[in-house]
């Protein structure tokens, strides 16, 4: 087969000193689906940004269709037939589908005006050619996510793309939507397109990829035919060691309920009911896992529990007190800690020092402050201690959080949240986007907290994580609890799937 | 009838309101078009000032209204380009860069006023041309309407035309589509090869273009000289006007008109025995009130989060 | 060496921006002036050539320093309140009125008047603060508008109720001597207020970096979501940062009246609020650095005045230079290529160390 793209020795250093790619080389054959796998932070996205002209590498070259290329911008890449579907969809919400599709290559009337009829015509033509249906005149913000992704793919096809890069396309999709996508990708291959598929969901990779390249720590570990590798082998290559798929030991002692939610309803700003009479209990010494496809009310539920969002009605009883509608501080004072979903938004102040980040929930208490003054000497020593205890890779407590890697930033968050001896821990996607070492540490700490008698409320989009840690599991679908599993022994993703997708629900 | 009410319900009032609205409207269109591309532009104050000054100087030295117009626009667009360069290429905070450029405009115009007119206050020693007023053929003979809408400065009519131009530009041209796309999701625009920086730059240059006429109107329509800091906060009022109007063409027009009405009211009230300082406060207080009411309504509609 | 350049990069960049500004002024003087050598001397050395002029630098720096401190607090909380101009003006105007109406024992007089002016400024900061915190009204626009309201209202109070008709121009009555801030260095007008400004700078430093509220302000400024998540009352911080900033501005305005003019004489708004923004930016919102920035700006100003007086170059040149310096300082990418090259070399060096270690 012909090689369409050769990547040779790419080295990329970011201005903050992070080395994302350390000499990456591999080839991509024409008319194949080539999976690029690796953990978050392994350097996949950086590499694709380089390929797509968003970033410039310090060293190395890219040979595309036999010619050495150097893309200065995405436009350059598109002109040469390389398109990309990003993880976060690249669509303007208030523009229509047709406007989004033709953006940048708008047909014109009398040179200066938009030709709306022609815009629709073009959109129709390409959608027919590839059998991808989309409503042209609707605004993108009114469409479900799977359809938006289709718009995104059409956008690339419309520009005669031959090589299409998809950056974790299934992360936001329901399983059915994912299946639709895979069918589309196979169709595109039949049309002669080449596809680079970035993922860390190995089942998918096995399902559709012809070849697989594994990247770890900025380097290529292997490039092989997908048929030569098992999922397990790919996983080993990705993390560089054997991974365990076992459950953590059950809790030694389960006690009284510390977090009780009764008939919680939440109606959002757009008047959509996001949570519908949600009730559950989490007891001391157990981890309650919430399974569900993202966007089914998990984020809102967590924010309500931690005081960041106001519920519409219902009760949130923590340590015997109704905390519904209380402030984050009041809730924290009542023994709740919170590992947030988006650590860069909520979990840290990047431009502040590590020690300043470690005290945000306790700076006003003794011994961190006396009267109106902060005791920096104490805080510095305290910071040093937490850095050591939680294994944060940092030079000193005075280092800025922005100088740390993702995993170490999460360790700072976890260090703060678990060092306050919480009775209730709300952990939302606690291992998202961090390295394996940090992941293990976070899981171990959650387990230890549980064993010491904390009640842990765990939300995760990663089913394996939910299955591995949870004492009990509830499934959230469309704002409702559709299933409860008090006994998780022998439970698998297959058992949960139908509930998560709303195909099945418990009476 | 009360003399004040009488004067308010007169054709004069409408006529005066349109005059007063003109510079605000030009500036507000400038603010709105940048806002649609996703940037806040508080440099209209400086943009107008520099156009007002250059217009007067060029007209005084060349005697040509056209040259004054061209150079006034060029100077304003140049200042906007500088803002764009510092914000987009050198990654300066756009608000602080705009504050700096407003200072720059204020300083350099006084500096050069002194060099050219040997006076730090005004250029009244130089003879500046003014933009003419225009009688609309049939309209001027209609009794009340004629008094209201005919005989205004050409730039006032042009301001109204600019609202239409703004509308077509934004909704009917590729550039407008790109400006909106960049404002809503710059990454999306970039992903299809739209040069985000360039589009933002264009929208800033356009704000310079529209703002220029506001400045020219102040020094060569309203009066016939330049005086220091003669924009008197209109570039800032324009931000409020545009934001009340949601930065969309029709809304921006009505937002500007609102401030025009209040300002005119202040002028009409001045004929009564009320201290002028207090009357001059009115438009600014109104701006704060309108912004507050607008925001309160918006927050009443939304609920839940924060 | 390169490591230090990285560490102090912001400081180095600031200094380079200042040098470029000064260089441009020299250039302008050479172009405009008929006797550039003399003009240049007036501009650069004018402020240190006589005791009174050197005094002028400190006197001029004082209200600018107050302005800068007043700006730094809301700015550190990421509140773009630029209403210090109005707070200074109204604080001074109503403070003057207060001092003229209420006579108090000498030991209390100055302190009470300053406190009252501070309260006025604080109240003026409260309005955009509460509007922002409660209804998300953009504080930038509202504080801008309030500047004009403050100006016209202050002017009205002075011109209609406290105008000294015996004076040849529009000024208020003179304050009683007991309410003056004493000028204590003969041959200059350096007054107690100069010391007071320095004390305020140190207090603001301690406030921002060593108190709980200061910590809250900085955390809200770094990341509002983080602060809220951590339990900080963001609402309170948004309001208080603007109120405290306003207090300092109000005091600063009144200090100028009590220390220099002894009566209210601003028919135009004096611009100390805008100067405050300038020095806050030059000093990266750090109170101690703002002291130096204020002295620097004052030096330029006095140099500009000397230049204006003694030669043919208008003092507005300084405004132009200021704006250029600000532009360069805020331009993040200014010199960033240089920084980037150093960073890459440093990273490569670290990588080598790591490789050889393992």
């Amino acid at each position: 087969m012909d090689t369409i793209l050769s990547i040779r020795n790419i080295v990329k250093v970011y201005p903050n000193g992070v080395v994302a790619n350390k000499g990456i080389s591999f080839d991509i054959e024409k008319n194949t689906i080539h999976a690029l796998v690796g953990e978050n932070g392994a350097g996949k996205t950086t590499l694709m940004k380089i390929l797509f002209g968003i970033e410039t590498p310090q060293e190395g070259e890219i040979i595309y269709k036999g010619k050495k290329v150097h893309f200065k911008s995405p436009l350059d890449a598109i002109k040469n037939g390389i398109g990309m579907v990003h993880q976060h969809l690249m669509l303007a919400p208030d523009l229509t589908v047709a406007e989004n599709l033709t953006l940048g290559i708008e047909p014109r009337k009398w040179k200066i005006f938009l030709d709306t009829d022609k815009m629709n015509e073009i959109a129709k033509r390409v959608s027919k050619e590839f059998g991808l249906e989309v409503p042209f005149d609707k605004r993108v913000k009114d469409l479900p996510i799977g359809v938006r992704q289709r718009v995104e793919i059409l956008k690339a096809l419309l520009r005669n793309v031959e090589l299409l890069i998809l950056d974790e396309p299934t992360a936001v999709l329901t399983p059915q939507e994912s299946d639709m996508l895979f069918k589309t990708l196979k169709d595109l291959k039949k049309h002669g397109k080449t596809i680079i598929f970035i993922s860390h969901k190995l089942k998918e990779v096995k399902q559709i990829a012809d070849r697989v390249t594994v990247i770890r720590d900025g380097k290529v570990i292997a490039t092989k035919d997908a048929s030569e590798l098992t999922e397990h082998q790919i996983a080993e290559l990705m993390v560089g060691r054997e991974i365990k798929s076992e459950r953590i030991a059950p809790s030694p002692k389960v006690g009284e309920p510390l977090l009780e939610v009764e008939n919680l309803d939440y109606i959002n700003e757009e008047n959509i009911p996001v949570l519908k009479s949600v009730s559950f209990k989490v007891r001391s010494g157990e981890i309650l896992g919430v399974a569900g496809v993202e966007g089914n009310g998990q984020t809102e539920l967590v924010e309500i529990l931690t005081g960041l969002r106001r519920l519409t009605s219902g009760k949130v009883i923590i340590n015997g007190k109704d905390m519904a509608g209380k402030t984050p501080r009041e809730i924290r004072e009542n023994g709740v800690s919170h590992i947030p979903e988006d650590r860069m938004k909520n979990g840290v102040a990047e431009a502040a020092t590590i020690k300043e980040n470690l005290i945000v929930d306790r700076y006003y208490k003794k011994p961190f402050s006396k009267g109106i003054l902060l005791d920096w000497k104490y805080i510095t020593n305290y910071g040093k201690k937490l850095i050591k205890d939680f294994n944060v890779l940092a030079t000193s407590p005075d280092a800025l959080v922005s100088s740390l890697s993702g995993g170490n930033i999460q360790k700072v968050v976890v260090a703060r949240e678990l060092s306050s001896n919480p009775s209730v821990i709300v952990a939302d996607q606690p291992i998202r986007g961090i390295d394996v070492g940090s992941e293990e540490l976070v899981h171990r700490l959650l387990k230890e907290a549980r064993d010491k008698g904390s009640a842990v409320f765990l939300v995760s989009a990663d089913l394996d994580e939910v299955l591995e840690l949870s004492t009990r599991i509830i499934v959230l679908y469309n704002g409702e609890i559709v299933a409860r599993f008090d006994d998780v022994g022998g439970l698998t993703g297959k058992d949960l799937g139908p509930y998560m997708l709303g195909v099945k629900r418990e009476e | 009838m009360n003399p004040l009410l009488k004067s308010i319900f007169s054709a004069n009032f409408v006529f005066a309101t349109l005059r007063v609205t003109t510079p605000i409207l030009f500036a507000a269109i400038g603010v709105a078009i940048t806002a649609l591309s996703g940037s806040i532009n508080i440099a209209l104050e400086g943009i107008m000032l520099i156009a007002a000054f250059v217009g007067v100087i060029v007209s005084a030295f060349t005697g040509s209204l056209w040259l004054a117009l061209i150079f006034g626009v060029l100077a304003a667009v140049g200042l906007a380009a500088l803002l764009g360069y510092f914000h987009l290429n050198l990654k300066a905070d756009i608000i602080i860069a705009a504050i700096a450029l407003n200072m720059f405009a204020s300083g350099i115009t006084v500096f050069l006023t002194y060099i050219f007119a040997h006076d730090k206050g005004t250029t009244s020693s130089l003879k500046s041309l003014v933009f003419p007023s225009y009688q609309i053929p049939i309209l001027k003979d209609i009794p009340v309407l004629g008094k209201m809408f005919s005989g205004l400065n050409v730039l006032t009519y042009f301001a109204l035309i600019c609202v239409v131009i703004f509308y077509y530009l934004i909704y009917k041209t590729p550039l407008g589509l790109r400006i909106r796309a960049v404002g809503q999701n710059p990454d999306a625009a970039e992903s299809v090869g739209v040069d985000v920086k360039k589009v933002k730059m264009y929208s800033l240059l356009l704000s310079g273009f529209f703002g220029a006429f506001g400045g020219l109107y102040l020094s060569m329509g309203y009066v016939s000289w330049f005086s220091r800091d003669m924009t008197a906060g209109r570039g800032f009022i324009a931000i409020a006007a545009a934001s009340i109007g949601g930065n969309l063409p029709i809304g921006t027009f009505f937002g500007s008109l609102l401030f025009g009405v209040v300002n005119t009211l202040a002028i009409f009230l001045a004929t009564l025995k009320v201290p002028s300082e207090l009357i001059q406060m009115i438009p600014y207080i109104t701006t704060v009130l309108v912004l507050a009411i607008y925001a309160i309504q918006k927050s009443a509609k939304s609920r839940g989060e924060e | 060496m390169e490591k230090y350049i990285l560490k102090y990069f912001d400081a180095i960049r600031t200094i380079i921006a200042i040098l470029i500004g000064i260089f441009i002024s020299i250039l302008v003087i050479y172009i405009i002036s008929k006797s550039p050598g003399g003009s240049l001397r007036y501009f650069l050395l004018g402020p240190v050539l006589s005791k009174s002029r050197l005094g002028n630098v400190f006197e001029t720096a004082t209200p600018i320093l107050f302005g800068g401190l007043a700006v730094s607090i809301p700015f550190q909380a990421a509140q773009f309140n630029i209403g210090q101009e109005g707070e200074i003006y109204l604080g001074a105007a109503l403070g003057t009125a207060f001092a003229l109406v209420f006579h108090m024992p000498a030991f209390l007089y100055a302190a009470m008047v300053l406190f009252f002016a501070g309260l006025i400024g604080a109240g003026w900061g409260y309005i955009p603060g509460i509007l922002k915190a409660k209804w998300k009204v953009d504080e930038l626009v509202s504080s801008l508008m309030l500047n004009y309201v403050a100006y016209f209202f202050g002017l009205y109070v002075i011109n209609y109720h406290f105008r000294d008709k015996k004076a040849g121009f529009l000024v208020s009555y003179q304050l009683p001597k007991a309410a003056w801030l004493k000028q204590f260095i003969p041959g200059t007008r350096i007054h107690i207020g100069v010391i007071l400004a320095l004390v305020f700078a140190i207090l603001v430093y301690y406030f921002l970096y060593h108190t709980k509220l200061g910590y809250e302000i900085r955390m809200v400024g770094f990341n509002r979501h983080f602060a809220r998540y951590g339990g900080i009352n963001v609402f309170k911080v948004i309001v208080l940062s603007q109120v405290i900033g306003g207090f300092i501005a109000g005091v600063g305005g009144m200090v100028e009246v009590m220390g220099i003019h002894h009566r209210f004489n601003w028919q135009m708004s004096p611009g100390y609020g805008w100067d405050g923004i300038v020095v806050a930016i030059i000093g990266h919102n750090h109170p101690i650095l703002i002291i130096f920035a204020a002295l620097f700006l004052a030096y330029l100003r006095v140099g500009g005045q000397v230049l204006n007086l003694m030669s043919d170059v208008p003092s507005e040149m300084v405004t132009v230079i200021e704006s250029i310096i600000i532009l360069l300082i805020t331009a993040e990418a200014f010199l960033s290529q240089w920084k980037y090259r150093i960073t890459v070399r440093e990273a490569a060096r670290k990588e080598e160390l790591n490789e050889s270690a393992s």
Side-chain angles (χ1 to χ4, degrees), chain C residues 265-305:
Chain C
N265 69 344
W266 292 329
Q267 287 298 310
M268 296 279 283
S269 201
Y272 296 133
W274 296 104
D275 293 341
I277 295 173
V278 171
V279 295
I281 292 164
I282 296 178
H284 296 273
N285 294 325
H286 191 292
I288 304 303
L289 296 178
I290 291 174
I291 299 176
F292 295 103
L295 284 170
F296 165 70
L297 189 59
Y299 193 95
L300 278 189
R301 282 282 159 77
V302 174
Q305 283 158 15

Side-chain angles (χ1 to χ4, degrees), chain C residues 69-80:
Chain C
L69 297 172
V71 171
S72 70
I73 295 174
F75 271 30
Q76 286 243 11
Q79 299 305 306
F80 262 112

